[in-house]
Amino acid sequence: LATYGPFMSRFNLARRAESGSKFPFTWPDTDRVCMPHVFMRARIEGTGRYVLLQICASVADQKLHRVLAALQDCKEVVQYAANFNKFIAETAQDVGGFESPQVKVCAPVGCRVLDSKIPQLTGRDSHILVFDYPSAEVTKFILDGTEEFHELSQAFFHHVAWATNGNAMLFDLKGADPGSGDILLVDPCILRTDGEQAVKDSVKETAFEVLHRNCGQLCKAFDPSRRSGKVRRMCGVPACGLSHPGR
């Protein structure tokens, strides 16, 4: 579907960064961010039900470790979302008891291909991801700073950096915005301070300032000290791991 184009945006931008295009922050060079993927809507045979397939663009790259990395990111984002939803629900109760919106995550299933009728797309023993994603459209919430401001996704983005003391930063938030106030995220990435795919603190700090230039009311409930993107730190908490340039 043409409407699934935003799913591929980060890979297109990664290709531009590799070719020398300039961005307002250093483009993360992790495998999760840069490895090209194809997203397709597929109908389950014998039913009217559709699912979303995420497949490495090259059959040779459709390895188990890449599926496991995506599953790990999703698992961690699910927990971050649960903590964030709990916080805003408690905040809503404190100010009048209104129903608060929620960040939801479309959890994928990792699959090994047993057979394929399209060998140029995927082959036997390749590994892919399958999402029970209900929408035929996708909204880009946060990627390169050119998106329209969306308060819930921006607050969630900020909350994760704040709650992890800057050790984790979300990247490429996209999915469905059904108009109910909730959002459904698909294939979110995490930039981490530690591990094989670690990203320098300075890279995350600069990206944070570009991607989250201003705070909404939800942000001010947990991090009132950060007033704008001009503050050269990831959040207003002095203990934040990215508030110390020498770290």
Side-chain angles (χ1 to χ4, degrees):
L1 293 176
T3 54
Y4 278 2
F7 278 130
M8 276 76 83
S9 293
R10 82 168 181 260
F11 313 119
N12 295 333
L13 293 178
R15 192 180 303 113
R16 287 173 51 194
E18 290 174 359
S19 66
S21 295
K22 300 298 183 182
F23 291 89
F25 58 91
T26 301
W27 195 259
D29 60 357
T30 67
D31 189 82
R32 282 276 293 135
V33 171
C34 297
M35 176 60 64
H37 283 71
V38 175
F39 289 78
M40 301 177 63
R41 195 175 189 225
R43 183 172 60 84
I44 299 175
E45 189 173 358
T47 74
R49 185 177 177 185
Y50 286 85
V51 294
L52 173 68
L53 305 181
Q54 180 180 352
I55 307 171
C56 277
S58 169
V59 176
D61 293 325
Q62 295 168 12
K63 304 299 184 181
L64 177 60
H65 73 272
R66 292 195 169 91
V67 165
L68 293 177
L71 292 174
Q72 183 61 35
D73 276 5
C74 183
K75 179 181 178 181
E76 292 182 29
V77 174
V78 166
Q79 186 58 59
Y80 290 142
N83 295 339
F84 176 73
N85 292 337
K86 180 181 178 182
F87 170 78
I88 60 174
E90 291 173 348
T91 301
Q93 289 294 323
D94 291 342
V95 298
F98 62 88
E99 185 174 352
S100 58
Q102 290 191 325
V103 173
K104 301 178 180 181
V105 183
C106 188
V109 174
C111 299
R112 180 170 66 87
V113 178
L114 300 180
D115 195 13
S116 173
K117 296 179 181 178
I118 315 176
Q120 65 270 29
L121 178 66
T122 189
R124 186 175 181 178
D125 291 330
S126 292
H127 292 82
I128 67 172
L129 291 165
V130 180
F131 298 81
D132 186 13
Y133 183 63
S135 179
E137 298 183 351
V138 57
T139 298
K140 184 66 67 177
F141 299 115
I142 298 175
L143 177 60
D144 63 354
T146 61
E147 304 81 17
E148 292 185 8
F149 182 83
H150 185 281
E151 183 169 5
L152 185 62
S153 59
Q154 286 282 338
F156 179 48
F157 175 82
H158 185 167
H159 189 267
V160 170
W162 172 82
T164 64
N165 288 331
N167 289 314
M169 191 185 86
L170 302 181
F171 193 70
D172 191 19
L173 298 186
K174 58 191 175 298
D177 181 5
S180 62
D182 299 341
I183 59 173
L184 177 65
L185 299 178
V186 178
D187 185 41
C189 291
I190 301 177
L191 306 183
R192 299 175 177 84
T193 298
D194 302 314
E196 293 182 2
Q197 297 287 310
V199 175
K200 292 181 179 179
D201 285 353
S202 58
V203 172
K204 288 190 294 180
E205 179 184 354
T206 305
F208 183 91
E209 299 299 342
V210 171
L211 302 179
H212 188 65
R213 291 186 173 91
N214 296 289
C215 290
Q217 290 301 314
L218 287 174
C219 295
K220 294 174 183 177
F222 60 84
D223 187 13
S225 299
R226 186 187 188 276
R227 297 181 178 84
S228 76
K230 295 181 180 179
V231 181
R232 296 301 298 166
R233 56 193 182 200
M234 278 194 69
C235 69
V237 179
C240 175
L242 290 185
S243 63
H244 305 291
R247 188 170 176 270

